[in-house]
Amino acid sequence: MQKIVALCLGMILSSFSIIYAQQPAHGPAGNGSLYGKLVDAKTNSPIEYASVALLRAADSSVATGMLSKPNGDFNFPEVAYGKYIVKVNFIGYETVYKTISLTGKNNNVDIGNIKISPNVRSLAGVEVVGDKPTFQMAIDKRVFNVDKNISSVGGTATDVLKQVPSVNVDIDGNVSVRNGSPTIFVDGRPTTLTLDQIPADAIASVEVVTNPSAKYDAEGVSGILNIVLKKNRKAGINGQINGGLSTLGGGNAGMDLNIRREKFNVSLSYNLRSRQGKARSNLFRKNIGADTTTYLDQHNEGENGRRFQFGRVGFDWFMDNRNTFSISQGIMAGDFKDNSDLKLFDLNEAQQQIRYGTGIDNENHNFRNYSTQIGYKHTFAKQGHELTADFNYNYATSEDNSDYSLQYYSMAHQPIDSPNIPQERYGRGHGNTTYITGQIDYVNPLTEHSKIEAGLRTTTRKFNNLLNTNGKDFSTGDFVLDSSLSNDYHYSETINAAYLSYAGTVGNFGYQGGLRAEQSFYDGEMRSINKNSYKIDYPISLFPSVYLSQKFKGDHELQLNYSRRVRRPWFRDLLPNLEYTAQSANRGNPALRPEFTNSFELSYLKDFNRKHNVLVSLYFRNTEKAITDFYTDTTITINGVTQKVVLSYPVNADTRNAYGAEFTVRNQILKGWDITSNFNLAQTKINASNLQNSLSNQGFIWFGKINSNTKLPWNSTLQITGNYESKQILPQGERAAQYSADIALRKEFLKKRNLVVSLALNDIFNTDRNLTYTTTEFSEQERYRKRATRELRLNVSYRFGKMDTQLFKRKNNKKEEQQDNQQEY
């Protein structure tokens, strides 16, 4: 720990020393260097790819020249002493000339920021329209542009990820990539938010990184999904308002406002979303006893409600052209309601009903989340040379209420008090979570063909949860505390990390090697009646990564990479809290340990005339101490009564091996019509013999996803998506195949197309559901769950504003003129 802190301090001090000593190195005798930066005179934004020529003052002959870099920088490192004229020329802007002199005493000249003004005459009547594709592929990352996705408008991040190639989402919002669990980031950082808590209208893009380098967190067996939120920094005053309705009840509304003036930018956003829907589930279980076999048939019918609010305010201060300070504050709120009527039947060996039970199983939950982000970025004169630092603070509170009752009856509808006495209980609880992240990243291109990256990071999470469950004692009529279903749980974790990587190219061959070091500390304590505690300190673990790539003529590239990954137990995986409903129970496992994965990937990318893109990836993952769910037959005591249940909890299996192939193809069939197809084939084997003799399972799985976008006449777009996922292999069973399809239509109105109406139908055939089969030593279980997924959404959005910072200047000039006139009189 002390070494990491010392490394942090050393890196910070060295970084600041670099900032204050950023002048270029002196050239040889008789030569000097000059450098500067091009910026727009109105917006102060950098001008890239502008022509910068260095002319000899004596005869205006050209000495040298270059194009400005993406951040506006230009430099001439080896220039003979003398007088020169710097000529800046760029289409749509006025030509600028600067005279400079290089001498022995003044051999390193910083020309500073050269402001160039738009040539109004040359720009008059010209309209440039850029159109990003829905899905962009690179050898190491894929980017899904949400603005182009119609089906998710008015939904949540869950709806967005369902449309992203390579990504699967089940009805509970669980996300997988290549049949593995990824780490989900928001703006490149961890978050306390769940996918359902992030509105789709606040998302700009989703980045899919299947085999991240050492720069990224080692967390996540199958890579990282980075949800990038919208950030508006356009000049002037502009924004958007939107609203929509859903056939499931409720709707959505939101607004975005951005104000940019010279060095300052202020952004405001707010989104509201509410949904109602039916839900049902069915559990059919065969209980195998020593001398008899019985059956349980359980049904839940009810409804769920969701209400989310998402607000965010951001401030950017462009201190100068190389330093930016940003701060933002987010406030999120959510209210959930899951109420269901419970009915179950006990059956004999001939599957004849012998008694039944009825009751309720209601849960209500709400949360409030407050997130603060502070960031600083410094760009050096050298292209790609930068230092960034940021601090994130998340604080969330929650309240949980539950009500449960169950009464058994004979088939003649007479109440039964024995052997299963009536059950009635209620739970009341609350909790809070604090999540703090601090990070520093430094990038330095050592030469034109090599760069070094380094960074430090620390994260701390604290979670407190109190739940009191009171059960009714029918002999007295009083409610008493049920310790088996109550808890007072406190959990904390700290993860420190440092990374270093080096990348270079030799011709068309590229290489990158990196090493990430992480150490973690866990501390959990159960303070309720069933006291329990644990403390786990993991030593420093090393996570290497290697990337090799070869570019060929004809726009195609081959890459081979390796990385070591980890999946740490989430705090709910460790929470020993017992949840019980009608002979089924689940809990966390404090003894759970992280799983480690060695991931290999070979990828090939080919571009055909920028109309057809093919990405093929072969991958292999070997996981040790694989985390998976385990089912066992046991007895628990509820309200003083012993009951036989099937208990599930997470465990560490021996190994899990997966190898497969993924194909992603993007085709522009016709002008205005493109189709992106994604197919994944994999073989998975889970070995859990450490849990039970000869316990293992294996099988072949595959899934596919197709996204079709067609531009229609009258400024309209049609989008059709579909996905299919074959059965999934579990240690003690399997999950049945699942599939769904969506369709959406978008129409743009008005001259500037700033009024947009979209109509989307999700899960057209109402097929999205969850069906699992589980087998234990004494039971066979089939569980079916279905939520309201077929939904028709109508959304309207309107963009407004004018990108003109001169609005402010004109207002100020008018005020000055009025003041001058008043003084004259």
Side-chain angles (χ1 to χ4, degrees):
M1 181 64 182
Q2 292 178 347
K3 293 181 179 180
I4 287 187
V5 172
L7 182 60
C8 289
L9 293 175
M11 191 171 200
I12 293 172
L13 292 174
S14 63
S15 299
F16 281 110
S17 66
I18 292 172
I19 293 176
Y20 289 103
Q22 54 181 297
Q23 301 296 328
H26 289 227
N31 289 326
S33 62
L34 58 93
Y35 52 97
K37 187 170 187 174
L38 304 183
V39 297
D40 188 291
K42 288 186 177 182
T43 65
N44 269 337
S45 57
I47 303 296
E48 61 178 333
Y49 305 125
S51 172
V52 183
L54 188 63
L55 311 178
R56 298 181 180 89
D59 55 4
S60 296
S61 60
V62 178
T64 184
M66 66 173 294
L67 296 179
S68 62
K69 298 177 181 179
N71 66 348
D73 285 346
F74 65 91
N75 62 80
F76 302 106
E78 297 291 334
V79 181
Y81 294 157
K83 291 185 178 181
Y84 295 92
I85 299 173
V86 178
K87 178 183 177 182
V88 179
N89 186 37
F90 191 53
I91 297 175
Y93 286 81
E94 296 177 351
T95 303
V96 175
Y97 298 87
K98 291 275 187 180
T99 302
I100 58 98
S101 295
L102 284 173
T103 65
K105 294 182 179 180
N106 189 28
N107 60 359
N108 286 279
V109 177
D110 184 353
I111 304 175
N113 295 336
I114 300 178
K115 296 185 177 183
I116 59 177
S117 302
N119 189 331
V120 179
R121 291 184 179 180
S122 65
L123 288 178
V126 178
E127 182 180 6
V128 180
V129 179
D131 210 14
K132 289 183 179 179
T134 302
F135 190 64
Q136 296 171 285
M137 292 187 292
I139 199 75
D140 59 344
K141 180 169 64 175
R142 276 145 278 182
V143 181
F144 185 80
N145 296 307
V146 180
D147 283 342
K148 298 298 177 182
N149 184 259
I150 312 172
S151 299
S152 61
V153 175
T156 67
T158 301
D159 300 300
V160 172
L161 291 181
K162 287 180 179 179
Q163 308 298 322
V164 179
S166 303
V167 180
N168 288 323
V169 185
D170 64 20
I171 64 170
D172 297 315
N174 299 311
V175 180
S176 62
V177 175
R178 295 178 178 174
N179 200 34
S181 300
T183 295
I184 297 178
F185 284 168
V186 173
D187 287 335
R189 298 293 179 264
T191 178
T192 58
L193 297 174
T194 64
L195 295 176
D196 274 339
Q197 297 169 9
I198 305 174
D201 299 325
I203 302 174
S205 62
V206 177
E207 299 175 345
V208 183
V209 186
T210 54
N211 209 6
S213 67
K215 178 179 180 179
Y216 297 92
D217 274 18
E219 180 78 25
V221 174
S222 59
I224 291 174
L225 291 179
N226 183 31
I227 298 174
V228 181
L229 300 180
K230 293 179 180 178
K231 298 174 185 66
N232 189 351
R233 290 180 175 176
K234 296 179 181 178
I237 303 176
N238 54 87
Q240 176 177 291
I241 56 175
N242 61 78
L245 297 173
S246 166
T247 54
L248 293 181
N252 59 278
M255 62 82 63
D256 295 281
L257 177 65
N258 189 79
I259 303 173
R260 171 75 182 270
R261 180 185 181 185
E262 297 179 352
K263 291 188 176 183
F264 300 101
N265 184 81
V266 178
S267 59
L268 300 168
S269 64
Y270 173 77
N271 285 275
L272 171 67
R273 181 181 185 270
S274 63
R275 288 291 184 272
Q276 303 290 330
K278 300 290 185 180
R280 70 179 187 275
S281 66
N282 175 236
L283 173 68
F284 188 82
R285 184 165 66 230
K286 179 181 180 181
N287 300 307
I288 305 172
D291 53 1
T292 184
T293 299
T294 61
Y295 296 86
L296 170 68
D297 187 13
Q298 176 182 322
H299 300 264
N300 288 67
E301 295 278 350
E303 61 179 18
N304 55 61
R306 302 285 187 269
R307 179 184 175 89
F308 298 100
Q309 298 184 74
F310 184 98
R312 191 168 185 263
V313 56
F315 173 78
D316 300 292
W317 176 26
F318 307 100
M319 305 159 65
D320 53 42
N321 290 325
R322 294 189 176 97
N323 295 278
T324 302
F325 173 81
S326 302
I327 184 170
S328 66
Q329 178 65 48
I331 302 176
M332 283 69 73
D335 297 278
F336 309 81
K337 179 181 66 175
D338 291 285
N339 296 334
S340 64
D341 294 326
L342 173 67
K343 190 168 187 177
L344 55 85
F345 297 89
D346 287 335
L347 295 79
N348 59 19
E349 191 168 5
Q351 296 193 28
Q352 298 173 330
Q353 296 177 352
I354 57 176
R355 58 178 169 263
Y356 71 93
T358 61
I360 62 171
D361 189 0
N362 299 338
E363 293 184 359
N364 291 279
H365 168 74
N366 68 66
F367 78 92
R368 301 294 182 264
N369 182 284
Y370 310 90
S371 62
T372 303
Q373 295 178 312
I374 301 175
Y376 168 77
K377 182 176 183 179
H378 175 82
T379 57
F380 298 83
K382 184 167 57 175
Q383 170 67 25
H385 190 190
E386 64 182 35
L387 172 73
T388 59
D390 59 68
F391 172 81
N392 296 264
Y393 175 82
N394 277 270
Y395 179 74
T397 62
S398 63
E399 291 187 4
D400 299 273
N401 297 323
S402 63
D403 293 278
Y404 180 88
S405 67
L406 178 64
Q407 171 66 59
Y408 275 94
Y409 298 87
S410 67
M411 298 311 298
H413 311 298
Q414 297 297 318
I416 299 176
D417 293 335
S418 181
N420 296 294
I421 66 172
Q423 300 180 38
E424 185 176 349
R425 58 180 176 270
Y426 66 88
R428 302 293 182 262
H430 58 83
N432 61 74
T433 303
T434 303
Y435 203 173
I436 301 175
T437 303
Q439 181 158 340
I440 297 176
D441 295 288
Y442 175 71
V443 182
N444 186 4
L446 302 177
T447 67
E448 186 179 350
H449 302 289
S450 65
K451 70 175 181 179
I452 188 171
E453 296 182 70
L456 299 168
R457 177 175 176 177
T458 182
T459 63
T460 299
R461 184 204 295 264
K462 293 185 177 180
F463 170 78
N464 301 296
N465 184 77
L466 175 65
L467 174 64
N468 290 324
T469 301
N470 292 276
K472 188 174 183 178
D473 184 343
F474 286 88
S475 63
T476 63
D478 298 329
F479 283 89
V480 296
L481 183 69
D482 189 339
S483 60
S484 62
L485 298 176
S486 302
N487 68 75
D488 184 2
Y489 184 65
H490 301 262
Y491 167 85
S492 66
E493 70 175 28
T494 299
I495 302 174
N496 299 317
Y499 74 89
L500 178 68
S501 68
Y502 177 84
T505 58
V506 179
N508 290 325
F509 176 74
Y511 58 91
Q512 176 180 304
L515 183 64
R516 187 179 185 90
E518 293 188 353
Q519 61 177 174
S520 53
F521 309 91
Y522 300 86
D523 191 348
E525 181 182 6
M526 180 68 79
R527 300 178 183 175
S528 54
I529 297 176
N530 298 321
K531 295 183 182 296
N532 191 10
S533 65
Y534 62 89
K535 186 175 183 179
I536 309 171
D537 294 344
Y538 288 103
I540 294 178
S541 297
L542 299 179
F543 301 93
S545 64
V546 178
Y547 288 77
L548 304 174
S549 66
Q550 177 66 52
K551 293 183 179 180
F552 304 94
K553 293 181 179 180
D555 290 328
H556 57 136
E557 181 178 355
L558 185 69
Q559 185 185 85
L560 174 66
N561 58 59
Y562 160 79
S563 68
R564 187 171 187 251
R565 312 288 299 162
V566 64
R567 177 191 169 189
R568 299 182 180 90
W570 195 38
F571 70 90
R572 290 195 178 276
D573 294 327
L574 301 170
L575 182 65
N577 180 38
L578 182 68
E579 296 182 358
Y580 166 80
T581 173
Q583 300 184 27
S584 296
N586 62 81
R587 63 167 175 82
N589 180 10
L592 198 64
R593 296 295 181 264
E595 66 175 30
F596 292 90
T597 299
N598 292 302
S599 180
F600 302 84
E601 184 172 347
L602 176 65
S603 299
Y604 174 78
L605 176 64
K606 171 64 177 175
D607 178 78
F608 298 91
N609 300 320
R610 298 186 178 181
K611 291 185 178 181
H612 308 280
N613 305 88
V614 177
L615 176 62
V616 180
S617 299
L618 304 177
Y619 61 90
F620 171 73
R621 294 198 304 263
N622 167 254
T623 302
E624 299 177 350
K625 299 181 180 179
I627 297 176
T628 187
D629 287 331
F630 183 75
Y631 294 81
T632 184
D633 303 280
T634 187
T635 57
I636 60 175
T637 302
I638 304 294
N639 287 359
V641 178
T642 300
Q643 301 186 37
K644 186 177 181 180
V645 300
V646 174
L647 176 68
S648 66
Y649 55 94
V651 295
N652 290 107
D654 271 340
T655 60
R656 178 176 56 241
N657 291 324
Y659 54 90
E662 182 176 18
F663 305 86
T664 305
V665 181
R666 181 178 178 269
N667 289 309
Q668 184 177 328
I669 308 300
L670 299 171
K671 185 178 181 180
W673 181 25
D674 67 84
I675 297 178
T676 300
S677 305
N678 176 256
F679 299 95
N680 194 302
L681 313 173
Q683 177 75 20
T684 301
K685 180 178 181 179
I686 300 176
N687 179 11
S689 56
N690 61 312
L691 305 173
Q692 185 176 313
N693 290 336
S694 302
L695 179 59
S696 65
N697 202 356
Q698 63 180 331
F700 175 79
I701 62 173
W702 71 275
F703 61 82
K705 186 172 294 188
I706 295 179
N707 188 311
S708 171
N709 291 276
T710 308
K711 290 186 177 180
L712 303 176
W714 309 292
N715 299 327
S716 300
T717 304
L718 175 67
Q719 182 181 83
I720 301 175
T721 60
N723 66 83
Y724 178 90
E725 183 178 3
S726 71
K727 68 178 182 180
Q728 179 179 339
I729 302 303
L730 304 174
Q732 296 165 279
E734 64 182 41
R735 189 187 70 187
Q738 54 190 34
Y739 53 92
S740 63
D742 305 326
I743 186 171
L745 182 66
R746 171 189 173 114
K747 165 73 173 166
E748 299 174 337
F749 296 89
L750 304 182
K751 184 178 180 180
K752 296 183 178 180
R753 302 182 182 180
N754 52 342
L755 177 63
V756 180
V757 178
S758 63
L759 184 67
L761 178 60
N762 297 103
D763 196 12
I764 302 172
F765 306 106
N766 201 28
T767 54
D768 197 8
R769 50 83 180 114
N770 183 285
L771 177 60
T772 58
Y773 302 93
T774 307
T775 301
T776 68
E777 185 177 0
F778 300 106
S779 67
E780 297 175 3
Q781 178 174 289
E782 175 186 315
R783 188 181 185 189
Y784 170 89
R785 290 182 297 123
K786 180 77 175 78
R787 291 181 178 177
T789 53
R790 183 159 58 188
E791 177 185 19
L792 182 65
R793 292 198 298 257
L794 174 66
N795 284 270
V796 180
S797 66
Y798 176 75
R799 298 188 306 272
F800 61 89
K802 186 176 182 180
M803 294 186 294
D804 185 7
T805 55
Q806 298 301 312
L807 291 172
F808 298 100
K809 294 183 177 180
R810 286 196 288 267
K811 291 180 180 179
N812 291 335
N813 291 337
K814 288 182 179 180
K815 290 182 179 180
E816 292 175 0
E817 291 175 1
Q818 292 175 355
Q819 292 175 355
D820 292 339
N821 292 335
Q822 291 175 356
Q823 291 175 357
E824 291 178 3
Y825 285 97

